Amino acid sequence: MTAQLFAGAADPVTDRTVVGENLSLPLFRTLSGVLAGHPYLKVVVDRAENTWHLLDTAAHPFHVNYIATRVLGMELAELDADLDAFNASVYMDPERRFLLGVLSLHTDEDSEGRERTFLVLETTEADTMNGELLTLFYEFVRVRVDGRLPVLLKPANHGQEEELAAISEQLVPRILSHELFGSRVRTPLNPGEATGRLRYFRTHEEYAAAEAGLGWADIVAMPCLPDDVPRVAGFLNTAPITPLSHTNVLASGWGIPNAIVLDLEEIVARDGLDGAWVRYRVHEEEIVLERLEREPDLRAPAWHQQRIRLEPPLLEDAPVLSLHRLRAADRDRYGTKAANLGELHHVLDSRSADLTAFYGRPRPPRGDLYGHLAARLGLTAPSADELRARAADFVAATVGAPEGVALPFALQQHFLASSPAIQQGIGKLKMALELDATDVLDSLCLRLQQLIRHTPVPESVTRQIGQAFTAPPAEHGRLAVRSSSNAEDLPGFSAAGVYDSVTTVHGTAQLLDAVRQVWASLVSPRSVRLRHQVGISLDDTYMGVIIQKYVPASLGGVLVTCDPTRRADFRNVYLNCSPGSPEQVVEGSVLPQQYLYNVVEGGGRTVALGSWGDGLPAGTRGRLADLSLTGRLLQSHFSAADVDKPLDIEWLMTEDGDFRLVQIRPYAL
């Protein structure tokens, strides 16, 4: 839970705010609101008056509004006109008069299993309190709170963590964010509402036995949903996952609710929910499962009638090209993934793109965020041209684009046309789709995939692939072969995790096997079904291929240029990572470390340590802050007309400490 930094108008009916009183639990409950399931209360310490203000949450949603209008006698319009400077005076000035924070109420069990209630004091994530101010703030609050309630200080960002490291925990008892929320019983992942039948599976074997009967009206609940889960009404996870898991990316793209509910088995048993019709709601503040008395009269969801339209692909002969020679417009010949990487090369090499547009959008009452961006880039009052130039230089200095080659759609078509057996298999699959013969669909797809994987590649195709390399593939060492279809990364159809990539390729024979595997993934049972559901014809679907030199990674992961669980948040970038390759994060084979970085006011915080016992060193976290800012800057270019549309970026840190972006695409919201 984090205090709000931005101001907004309030129109309270009653105001129970108190000044100077000690805080008891009944008074806390009278004044508090609820956020993410926890009661919370805003506090303002006035150092000049040696007193504190306990704000009525319903009357005062923003600290700064209260201070400006109720303490300093300002008009709200006067505050709005110079809001950023006012915020700096209360959140960043080391000599500040006011200390702003939030007290939240939590309950857990002690070492002997007894319930323990305690308060957590924290500032906003952008607050730059040093160790002295944090100590003063904690001590001021501690002596004014009922002594029977333990009070712990939670550092709101990495800077505060480092400041507190030099201060005794006996003097300032503390709890870190990942310690407080890492074991949360209920966590919203993707907001939304659904009415459907709850299908609860304790094991993957139970799920596999029922998978064929799952339909659009089902809400699937299990410890770890498989990446190939069919399109249904909602997801529930009974084990921890990251908001950037493949299944949550699918939930976001499909617009269905998704949450973690660790005590779901108890709820299902208590309320008899397995197989029952329920109303399921996921919001930032709550997760609700409500049993319905009878089966509702449901209409098929909109996606049953939805039709995704593809841009007409260009199938005339096109050369195998190096990625750096592609641009975004080449997606109709080489696929979206390859075209986006080519565009990334252009952005980094030319430094001509405007990467500041996101910060130029009005964020009322602010006209823009250019001043914040200038501060992040170390500039003071730059001109527009100076700001754009510094942003381009910063991005180019922070990340690199992968080297590699792209195979066009035309090469796949030459291969498919070379085999009468493959053509016959494609014809049978098209007929089954036209007749909606779903009972034979999977077997036809699997048979066609087998044909594609084992049909010899024509010499003309092999020659074109070989000519793309300056030396034989065997001399390039390990290669990675990735999909680049025209039926992925689309509005309404992300296809995250649907097509194959192969990252363990050595030599020409393995390279051709990997290319055929990627081509074959275009007709996998799951990909065919998902495209058919949204009206994407098999005739319109093509697969390009990216071939890259494999780069060993010391750290890798995924970032999205938003906070997936708080859609209105324009400040934060969400980043997942784990030691080694990013595939571990993408595939969900480990629980990654999770971080949030504020790319407006600055600062970052650890959300979860995942499968790892220790967090990253401060220097590495600082590098990840630069990577997060780079992602936000690239959003200005890759999101085209709507600069608020976030990006999904797969990245790695090489063993030399350099960042490489492996994939860049829209993040479906």
Side-chain angles (χ1 to χ4, degrees):
M1 177 172 59
T2 303
Q4 303 269 10
L5 256 180
F6 48 89
D11 185 21
V13 176
T14 59
D15 185 354
R16 296 164 294 184
T17 294
V18 298
V19 180
E21 292 187 21
N22 286 351
L23 181 63
S24 64
L25 191 55
L27 179 58
F28 177 94
R29 295 192 184 281
T30 297
L31 299 175
S32 65
V34 176
L35 183 63
H38 297 282
Y40 76 101
L41 171 66
K42 292 183 176 66
V43 300
V44 174
V45 170
D46 186 341
R47 298 172 67 190
E49 300 293 335
N50 194 35
T51 190
W52 71 336
H53 303 245
L54 306 176
L55 276 56
D56 181 353
T57 303
H60 301 292
F62 306 110
H63 287 89
V64 292
N65 284 24
Y66 176 83
I67 295 171
T69 61
R70 298 301 181 91
V71 180
L72 301 179
M74 298 170 59
E75 295 293 332
L76 194 56
E78 182 184 356
L79 169 66
D80 288 349
D82 203 15
L83 181 59
D84 288 331
F86 191 90
N87 277 338
S89 73
V90 295
Y91 290 114
M92 299 167 191
D93 185 348
E95 303 300 324
R96 69 191 74 171
R97 170 181 171 181
F98 301 103
L99 306 179
L100 282 57
V102 171
L103 279 167
S104 55
L105 187 66
H106 299 262
T107 302
D108 66 4
E109 292 184 351
D110 63 20
S111 58
E112 298 180 1
R114 294 173 299 194
E115 186 176 272
R116 177 183 73 141
T117 299
F118 60 98
L119 289 172
V120 171
L121 175 67
E122 64 181 302
T123 70
T124 185
E125 62 195 20
D127 198 301
T128 61
M129 278 193 199
N130 58 27
E132 181 181 353
L133 281 179
L134 287 168
T135 302
L136 187 156
F137 191 30
Y138 174 81
E139 292 177 339
F140 193 102
V141 171
R142 171 66 278 183
V143 299
R144 289 164 175 79
V145 171
D146 187 330
R148 292 169 294 181
L149 278 174
V151 179
L152 304 176
L153 180 68
K154 181 168 80 68
N157 51 53
H158 293 141
Q160 290 187 5
E161 287 182 24
E162 292 162 16
E163 288 287 329
L164 284 173
I167 299 172
S168 165
E169 291 200 37
Q170 281 69 44
L171 181 62
V172 182
R174 70 206 62 164
I175 188 168
L176 301 180
S177 181
H178 66 268
E179 295 172 333
L180 183 63
F181 296 120
S183 59
R184 286 176 61 178
V185 174
R186 296 166 192 169
T187 304
L189 293 174
N190 194 63
E193 300 186 9
T195 298
R197 182 179 54 166
L198 185 68
R199 305 293 303 277
Y200 176 54
F201 306 109
R202 292 168 181 79
T203 66
H204 184 77
E205 289 72 24
E206 288 183 9
Y207 166 84
E211 180 182 6
L214 295 176
W216 58 263
D218 288 320
I219 297 168
V220 178
M222 61 188 296
C224 183
L225 283 90
D227 283 351
D228 62 354
V229 63
R231 192 162 185 171
V232 292
F235 295 155
L236 272 161
N237 302 268
T238 60
I241 66 166
T242 165
L244 301 189
S245 67
H246 268 156
T247 50
N248 197 52
V249 172
L250 288 174
S252 179
W254 291 343
I256 62 174
N258 189 18
I260 300 169
V261 181
L262 300 183
D263 61 344
L264 184 65
E265 184 169 6
E266 302 169 24
I267 297 170
V268 167
R270 183 192 68 205
D271 299 336
L273 294 181
D274 189 13
W277 291 94
V278 299
R279 186 171 291 111
Y280 174 37
R281 297 191 298 273
V282 176
H283 300 292
E284 291 179 17
E285 296 81 13
E286 63 176 359
I287 301 165
V288 177
L289 266 177
E290 175 188 356
R291 178 169 182 158
L292 304 178
E293 295 301 320
R294 56 183 178 272
E295 179 178 345
D297 181 17
L298 295 179
R299 296 182 179 180
W303 58 263
H304 259 242
Q305 291 77 41
Q306 180 185 18
R307 291 297 177 263
I308 303 295
R309 299 302 177 200
L310 302 183
E311 297 177 7
L314 298 179
L315 300 178
E316 74 273 10
D317 285 340
V320 177
L321 287 181
S322 296
L323 288 174
H324 73 267
R325 296 180 60 187
L326 299 182
R327 294 294 302 274
D330 290 314
R331 62 173 55 91
D332 55 7
R333 291 185 297 169
Y334 296 87
T336 307
K337 194 179 300 180
N340 283 347
L341 289 177
E343 187 70 17
L344 176 62
H345 272 282
H346 170 74
V347 168
L348 298 180
D349 294 342
S350 72
R351 307 193 187 186
S352 60
D354 178 11
L355 304 181
T356 69
F358 174 89
Y359 289 86
R361 183 161 181 174
R363 310 287 173 181
R366 304 166 181 83
D368 59 62
L369 299 174
Y370 285 140
H372 288 286
L373 176 58
R376 303 281 70 74
L377 297 176
L379 297 175
T380 303
S383 68
D385 288 343
E386 289 171 336
L387 187 62
R388 291 181 181 183
R390 177 62 67 88
D393 289 344
F394 177 86
V395 169
T398 303
V399 301
E403 299 297 330
V405 299
L407 310 188
F409 299 153
L411 221 55
Q412 178 212 21
Q413 290 307 104
H414 285 318
F415 167 74
L416 297 178
S418 72
S419 168
I422 291 178
Q423 290 301 305
Q424 186 179 36
I426 292 173
K428 290 180 179 179
L429 181 56
K430 288 180 181 177
M431 181 65 69
L433 291 169
E434 290 174 5
L435 298 176
D436 205 21
T438 56
D439 54 331
V440 299
L441 202 61
D442 287 8
S443 62
L444 289 174
C445 288
L446 292 172
R447 193 174 306 132
L448 183 54
Q449 283 192 285
Q450 187 79 355
L451 277 171
I452 293 172
R453 286 174 178 157
H454 293 90
T455 295
V457 179
E459 192 278 334
S460 61
V461 174
T462 303
R463 185 173 61 253
Q464 288 187 66
I465 295 174
Q467 288 174 347
F469 293 90
T470 56
E475 296 183 18
H476 287 269
R478 182 176 172 182
L479 299 173
V481 178
R482 306 179 187 275
S483 65
S484 182
S485 170
N486 67 331
E488 60 184 322
D489 302 339
L490 303 171
F493 191 77
S494 73
V498 170
Y499 305 119
D500 285 356
S501 293
V502 187
T503 61
T504 54
V505 177
H506 293 84
T508 301
Q510 288 188 14
L511 174 59
L512 293 178
D513 287 344
V515 169
R516 283 180 294 193
Q517 180 177 334
V518 171
W519 282 340
S521 68
L522 193 67
V523 292
S524 70
R526 185 181 184 224
S527 69
V528 169
R529 285 181 180 276
L530 288 175
R531 292 195 305 268
H532 184 59
Q533 288 173 346
V534 296
I536 297 177
S537 168
L538 188 62
D539 282 331
D540 297 332
T541 310
Y542 298 90
M543 179 64 77
V545 178
I546 300 169
I547 304 172
Q548 301 164 281
K549 183 177 180 179
Y550 183 83
V551 178
S554 61
L555 191 70
V558 179
L559 69 84
V560 293
T561 57
C562 66
D563 180 346
T565 64
R566 297 181 62 200
R567 302 303 173 84
D569 178 7
F570 60 84
R571 289 176 160 80
N572 285 298
V573 165
Y574 192 88
L575 184 145
N576 282 191
C577 63
S578 70
S581 73
E583 280 83 7
Q584 295 184 94
V585 175
V586 174
E587 295 168 358
S589 58
V590 298
L591 280 175
Q593 296 189 16
Q594 302 173 40
Y595 298 92
L596 272 174
Y597 286 98
N598 183 326
V599 293
V600 176
E601 289 88 4
R605 58 190 174 96
T606 304
V607 177
L609 292 181
S611 302
W612 318 99
D614 298 318
L616 295 170
T620 303
R621 294 198 307 257
R623 298 285 312 285
L624 294 181
D626 290 344
L627 178 65
S628 299
L629 178 56
T630 293
R632 175 69 86 207
L633 292 170
L634 289 173
Q635 179 179 328
S636 293
H637 181 73
F638 281 89
S639 295
D642 186 356
V643 295
D644 274 346
K645 285 186 177 179
L647 297 180
D648 175 340
I649 298 175
E650 187 177 330
W651 59 272
L652 59 83
M653 178 186 282
T654 70
E655 293 175 342
D656 294 330
D658 298 325
F659 286 121
R660 294 288 182 271
L661 304 190
V662 181
Q663 180 171 302
I664 185 167
R665 62 185 177 186
Y667 179 67
L669 284 180

